[in-house]
């Protein structure tokens, strides 16, 4: 029987598109010999063969298949262990827990993540949480610990209370791993710990705490970050500003605006990016700030406003086009906004005395959905500057290509 089924299986695998419908009638009655043949494919088949047999287990054999695969979980057969663990995880087969745990040792490093992934997917129980938490609190391989977080995050609802309870008695290096975990899962229950640890140890534990508070994004988290924005360490300021950007909280905007004139270029760059993420939560504040901003803040604020794609910014940014000191950034920003209302203000600059202003104005106009672009580009193709002419030629080619595609 086993040879006969093995031959049938081999033939069915040669037609991957119809594999399931061809093999299903041959499975009854299910026997160990048939399961063994399927397991051999999982262990040594091609990628497509493994995918088809995996689908067979997950969608058709289900608990019966998971029960058999649990018996095959053997760390001495790593390829089969990995495939079987993935299937067991997809089927949420809790009876496999003890068999999966055998791989959670440093000497089986190639199997650890497959086991953790499977365990994280099976139904929650004290044994499951004890296994996952025990692994994260004791395992020594830092690379595997880091990679395991994406699986442990799925059980954050149960793991966070355990980790918060264990945190005070852990050694500093293991505390850092928990801060890393809290940062990734952004669970508000860890907010107080992250704030406290950041205030006590800003240099040692700052980065993880900062990132976590940014992801949590509550008013308390934002306020804690804002208070420390005057730290002398530029790399911490950069992390703070980045965290404020991902907070999705309008209360972060004033602090980000302040960072637009930071004395370090990387902090200012981070502030532009962060403001482009949350600035639309209070666009009126950005417009108000633009009116009184100094040269450094104005140039960075203009860049951020261009990225926000907010129609409210068309008028204030076209007004900035009258400021020669901010013209370079304003032209790009108005183009990035993409609203045709800016056409007239940009069109005037096609006659500017400075060639790169003409170039930037032409390329900004190309970002707007306007009818007269072809005429502007044809006129610019005769410009005295070769950079402007080259840009005009590229625009004309792009317009011709678009027109041919649409016709």
């Amino acid at each position: 029987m086993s040879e006969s089924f093995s031959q049938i299986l081999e033939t069915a695998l040669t037609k991957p598109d119809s594999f399931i419908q061809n093999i299903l009638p041959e499975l009854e009655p299910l026997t160990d010999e048939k399961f063994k043949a399927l397991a051999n494919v999982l262990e040594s088949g091609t990628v497509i063969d493994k995918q088809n047999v995996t689908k067979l287990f997950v969608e058709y054999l289900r608990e019966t298949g998971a029960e058999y695969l649990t018996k095959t979980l053997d760390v001495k057969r790593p390829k089969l262990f990995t495939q079987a663990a993935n299937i067991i995880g997809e089927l949420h087969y809790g009876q496999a827990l003890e068999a999966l745990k055998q791989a959670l040792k440093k000497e089986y490093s190639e199997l650890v993540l497959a086991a953790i992934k499977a365990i994280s997917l099976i139904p929650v129980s004290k044994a499951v949480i004890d296994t996952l938490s025990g692994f994260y609190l004791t395992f020594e391989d830092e690379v595997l610990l880091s990679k395991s977080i994406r699986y442990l995050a799925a059980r954050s609802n149960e793991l966070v209370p355990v980790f918060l309870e264990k945190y005070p008695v852990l050694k500093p290096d293991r505390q850092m791993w928990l801060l890393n975990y809290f940062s990734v899962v952004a669970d508000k229950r860890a907010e107080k710990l992250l704030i406290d640890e950041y205030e006590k140890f800003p240099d040692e534990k700052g980065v993880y705490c900062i990132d976590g508070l940014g992801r949590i994004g509550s008013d308390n988290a934002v306020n804690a970050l804002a208070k420390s924005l005057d730290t002398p360490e530029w790399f911490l300021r950069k992390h703070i500003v980045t965290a404020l950007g991902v907070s999705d909280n309008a209360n972060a905007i004033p602090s980000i605006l302040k960072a637009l004139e930071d004395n370090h270029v990387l902090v200012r760059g981070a502030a532009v990016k962060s403001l482009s993420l949350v600035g639309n939560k209070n666009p009126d504040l950005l417009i108000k700030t633009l009116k009184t901003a100094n040269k450094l803040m104005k140039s960075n604020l203009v860049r951020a406003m261009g990225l926000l794609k907010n129609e409210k910014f068309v008028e204030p940014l076209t007004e900035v086009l009258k400021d020669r000191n901010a013209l370079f950034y304003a032209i790009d920003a108005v183009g990035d906004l993409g609203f045709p209302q800016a056409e007239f203000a940009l069109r005037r600059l096609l006659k500017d005395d400075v060639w790169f202003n003409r170039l930037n104005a032409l390329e900004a106009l190309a970002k707007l959905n306007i009818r007269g672009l072809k005429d502007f580009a044809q006129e610019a193709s005769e410009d005295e500057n070769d950079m402007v002419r080259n840009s005009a030629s590229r625009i004309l080619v792009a317009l011709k290509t678009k027109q041919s595609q649409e016709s």
Side-chain angles (χ1 to χ4, degrees), residues 48-331:
I48 294 177
D49 289 349
K50 290 177 181 179
Q51 289 174 346
N52 271 315
V53 172
T54 294
K55 182 178 180 180
L56 181 67
F57 271 97
V58 171
E59 296 184 7
Y60 298 94
L61 298 177
R62 301 192 62 77
E63 187 169 338
T64 302
E67 182 181 3
Y68 173 82
L69 289 177
T70 299
K71 299 174 185 177
T72 73
L73 287 173
D74 183 353
V75 293
K76 295 179 181 178
R77 300 177 68 183
K79 292 182 179 179
L80 178 57
F81 187 103
T82 300
Q83 294 295 323
N86 286 336
I87 294 170
I88 287 167
E90 285 197 55
L91 291 171
H92 314 295
Y93 190 67
Q95 291 89 323
L97 176 60
E98 291 302 318
L100 291 166
K101 285 168 61 175
Q102 64 179 313
L104 301 183
K105 298 177 182 178
K106 194 170 184 179
E107 56 264 38
Y108 305 128
S109 59
E110 63 183 313
L111 304 177
V112 166
L113 291 179
I116 285 295
K117 178 182 178 182
I119 294 170
S120 72
L121 291 171
I122 63 181
V124 175
S125 66
K126 184 178 185 302
V128 167
I129 299 307
D130 287 347
T131 299
L132 294 175
S133 61
F135 165 79
Y136 197 70
L137 293 173
T138 61
F139 202 72
E140 296 297 331
D141 189 310
E142 294 186 355
V143 174
L144 292 175
L145 273 179
S146 181
K147 290 181 178 180
S148 74
I149 293 177
R150 65 181 184 269
Y151 304 126
L152 298 176
R155 293 302 189 199
S156 63
N157 191 51
E158 296 81 20
L159 286 174
V160 166
V162 175
F163 288 160
L164 286 172
E165 180 182 355
K166 298 286 187 182
Y167 186 88
V169 299
L170 295 174
K171 293 181 179 179
D173 62 334
R174 195 59 62 165
Q175 287 182 335
M176 294 288 281
W177 279 105
L178 288 193
L179 292 176
N180 189 12
Y181 181 79
F182 294 143
S183 172
V184 170
V185 301
D187 193 302
K188 199 171 185 301
R189 290 172 293 180
E191 177 188 84
K192 185 178 186 304
L193 174 66
L194 290 171
I195 293 174
D196 291 344
E197 291 294 88
Y198 178 49
E199 291 178 346
K200 293 176 185 175
F201 312 103
D203 296 333
E204 298 88 345
K205 301 179 178 179
V207 173
Y208 291 131
C209 296
I210 290 168
D211 291 347
L213 291 171
R215 292 189 179 107
I216 289 172
S218 65
D219 288 345
N220 287 338
V222 166
N223 291 338
L225 292 171
K227 284 194 303 183
S228 58
L229 196 53
D230 59 355
T231 175
E233 302 293 345
W234 72 265
F235 61 90
L236 284 180
R237 298 199 304 276
K238 179 177 179 293
H239 272 289
I240 293 168
V241 171
T242 300
L244 289 170
V246 302
S247 69
D248 198 34
N249 189 325
N251 291 331
I253 294 176
S255 297
I256 299 173
L257 287 170
K258 177 183 176 183
L260 290 174
E261 51 183 344
D262 192 274
N263 60 20
H264 198 286
V265 63
L266 293 182
V267 179
R268 298 196 298 271
V272 170
K273 183 176 180 180
S274 289
L275 195 59
S276 74
L277 296 176
V278 297
N280 274 330
K281 289 187 171 297
N282 192 348
D284 293 338
L285 177 59
L286 273 60
I287 294 170
K288 180 180 178 181
T289 303
L290 183 64
K291 294 178 181 178
T292 58
N294 59 33
K295 180 179 178 181
L296 180 59
M297 177 182 277
K298 178 182 284 189
S299 63
N300 288 311
L301 179 53
V302 163
R303 289 168 58 202
M305 292 171 74
L307 297 171
L308 284 164
K309 311 292 185 185
N310 192 320
E311 194 169 359
K312 278 189 171 184
F313 298 149
V314 175
E315 183 177 346
L317 286 183
T318 52
E319 190 67 23
V320 177
L321 292 175
K322 300 174 183 177
D323 182 353
R324 302 295 293 187
N325 291 323
L327 191 57
F328 178 81
Y329 298 104
I331 294 174

